[in-house]
Amino acid sequence: MSNNFQDYPHKRFNPLTGEWVLVSPHRTKRPWQGKQEKPSRNTLPRYDDKCYLCPGNTRNQGASNPDYKDVFIFDNDFPALLHESVNGFCDEDNLFKIKPESGICRVVCFSPRHDLTISRMQPANVRKVVDAWCDQYDDLGKRKDIGYVQIFENRGDIMGCSNPHPHGQIWATNSIPVIPEAEGKRQQEYLSEKKQCLLCRYVERELENKERIIFENDSFVALVPFWAVWPFEAILLPKAHMGAITDMTPAQRDDLADALVRMGIRYDNLFETSFPYSMGIHQRPTIEDKGTHWHWHIHYYPPLLRSATVKKFMVGFEMLGMPQRDITAEQSAQRLRDLPETHYLDRGE
């Protein structure tokens, strides 16, 4: 039995979800003859008169955007959730169940400029996005019909993003979605058993180890989690214990903006492309009291594997057995950590 985790297959445990991931680092030696995505070569204009998110333009349903100068938020014209829902149902065999689900979907435009991403924005402007997220969490959380506020960004067309204009979304649901519910339960169990916060202790251990750290500032640490599934998955964690983003001080909000920009630059520099990902905030449900078990954090799930044109797919064993990855979390962190913090488009190369 070997202890060489960088060369031999093994399983790693995710304490946030209770799930396992199979790690197979020896597979990186195999030649790649699979599908390669076409890299994005589009040069975007500062303003696109056909973009339904640019200032002053008319959206598909007929509403006109204001001539906004920084962050612009509106209710999604094609929401996944409605104020009304169906009646609940459960058959006598307990096999066919329906529960009503209602909510609010909003779009958050990060900038009026069509050609930017968070990685290309100034931290002061990203701070306005952070403030908007906090305001939305607070505003939606006060509603009696809202139990959870999910803030996220899909970046890149291969992640299903229908518009390259820099924007994210907010889906506020009546009930707590499955994954945040599982994370909350695991954090509560850990607090009850260990008498300390799961992610506070995890941050302490990672900062001691340093092996999976990408970078840190005064308030936040970016790292590849020990249990990462996606090749260059990352998590952004507050060093101080906070249940929700509204618990941040002004200085911590500045540090979050700094960390978001730096994380985006690292990703773009990895394969010198506008890096696709799904990014989202997990935090205390708005229907819960201010219990001490929740420690908010940001997940990054990027699909790229070997280059800007090779994507990671969840197929075969991963769909039928359990998640699996080839390169280890430590190898991913090393590659991200070693990248320059100047965006490749700004290096004059």
Side-chain angles (χ1 to χ4, degrees):
M1 184 68 69
S2 173
N3 289 324
N4 187 350
F5 299 132
Q6 303 303 317
D7 289 326
Y8 289 91
H10 58 278
K11 294 193 297 184
R12 297 192 182 194
F13 181 65
N14 182 344
L16 269 178
T17 64
E19 298 175 342
W20 292 83
V21 55
L22 174 64
V23 184
S24 311
H26 59 289
R27 281 167 51 88
T28 57
K29 300 173 183 177
R30 65 187 174 125
W32 180 259
Q33 293 181 319
K35 180 177 175 59
Q36 297 194 30
E37 304 288 340
K38 293 181 179 179
S40 176
R41 302 296 186 193
N42 295 334
T43 301
L44 300 175
R46 291 173 64 101
Y47 166 79
D48 184 348
D49 61 2
K50 297 181 177 61
C51 169
Y52 57 84
L53 297 181
C54 279
N57 289 356
T58 301
R59 302 201 299 274
N60 292 331
Q61 297 292 81
S64 294
N65 298 328
D67 186 22
Y68 64 96
K69 303 302 182 185
D70 41 63
V71 180
F72 169 51
I73 302 172
F74 64 91
D75 286 350
N76 199 316
D77 297 320
F78 299 96
L81 297 158
L82 302 173
H83 292 288
E84 304 81 22
S85 184
V86 298
N87 294 321
F89 171 80
C90 181
D91 76 314
E92 61 184 11
D93 298 314
N94 221 26
L95 296 174
F96 301 94
K97 295 182 180 182
I98 292 176
K99 285 187 176 181
E101 187 61 86
S102 58
I104 299 169
C105 294
R106 290 177 177 167
V107 176
V108 183
C109 295
F110 300 153
S111 169
R113 281 187 53 175
H114 187 75
D115 60 335
L116 294 182
T117 60
I118 283 181
S119 62
R120 301 282 290 147
M121 292 171 61
Q122 293 298 315
N125 292 326
V126 176
R127 165 64 193 271
K128 295 177 182 179
V129 176
V130 171
D131 288 340
W133 287 341
C134 293
D135 291 343
Q136 289 293 305
Y137 175 84
D138 185 59
D139 176 58
L140 291 165
K142 291 177 180 176
R143 297 177 58 119
K144 294 182 179 179
D145 59 339
I146 297 299
Y148 191 82
V149 179
Q150 182 60 67
I151 299 168
F152 65 98
E153 177 196 8
N154 292 326
R155 180 177 168 192
D157 53 6
I158 66 172
M159 297 306 291
C161 184
S162 60
N163 191 314
H165 192 101
H167 73 285
Q169 298 185 56
I170 299 173
W171 290 16
T173 53
N174 179 261
S175 64
I176 306 173
V178 172
I179 297 175
E181 183 179 44
E183 287 194 358
K185 186 177 296 185
R186 295 289 304 180
Q187 290 178 89
Q188 179 66 72
E189 290 172 353
Y190 191 91
L191 180 64
S192 298
E193 179 183 349
K194 302 290 187 179
K195 309 304 179 187
Q196 58 183 326
C197 166
L198 187 159
L199 287 178
C200 281
R201 183 56 181 150
Y202 179 66
V203 167
E204 289 175 1
R205 293 292 301 274
E206 288 287 18
L207 287 173
E208 291 169 2
N209 182 276
K210 301 290 185 183
E211 197 172 11
R212 286 170 292 274
I213 302 294
I214 303 171
F215 66 85
E216 60 180 297
N217 60 23
D218 289 344
S219 306
F220 292 88
V221 56
L223 57 89
V224 177
F226 176 76
W227 55 83
V229 171
W230 296 93
F232 293 97
E233 180 179 331
I235 188 169
L236 193 57
L237 289 150
K239 293 179 179 178
H241 182 73
M242 290 179 276
I245 55 176
T246 47
D247 296 341
M248 286 187 289
T249 65
Q252 288 167 335
R253 292 190 185 195
D254 286 339
D255 285 346
L256 176 57
D258 168 75
L260 289 166
V261 173
R262 292 170 69 182
M263 192 69 235
I265 290 174
R266 299 271 182 156
Y267 274 146
D268 286 359
N269 283 343
L270 180 62
F271 297 131
E272 296 198 347
T273 189
S274 185
F275 204 80
Y277 58 68
S278 280
M279 174 269 279
I281 302 171
H282 281 165
Q283 57 189 320
R284 182 178 60 236
T286 57
I287 55 174
E288 292 188 2
D289 59 20
K290 296 186 182 300
T292 57
H293 65 284
W294 256 102
H295 188 122
W296 78 267
H297 51 280
I298 295 178
H299 291 286
Y300 286 89
Y301 298 123
L304 297 185
L305 174 58
R306 292 170 176 247
S307 69
T309 62
V310 177
K311 183 181 176 184
K312 163 75 174 181
F313 291 93
M314 292 291 179
V315 297
F317 185 85
E318 294 143 320
M319 295 183 72
L320 299 167
M322 64 188 300
Q324 181 270 339
R325 64 179 285 130
D326 293 349
I327 58 176
T328 65
E330 294 75 29
Q331 291 166 338
S332 295
Q334 182 71 54
R335 290 184 64 180
L336 291 168
R337 183 167 57 246
D338 290 345
L339 291 167
E341 290 204 342
T342 302
H343 199 281
Y344 74 95
L345 292 177
D346 298 328
R347 296 206 297 266
E349 298 175 354

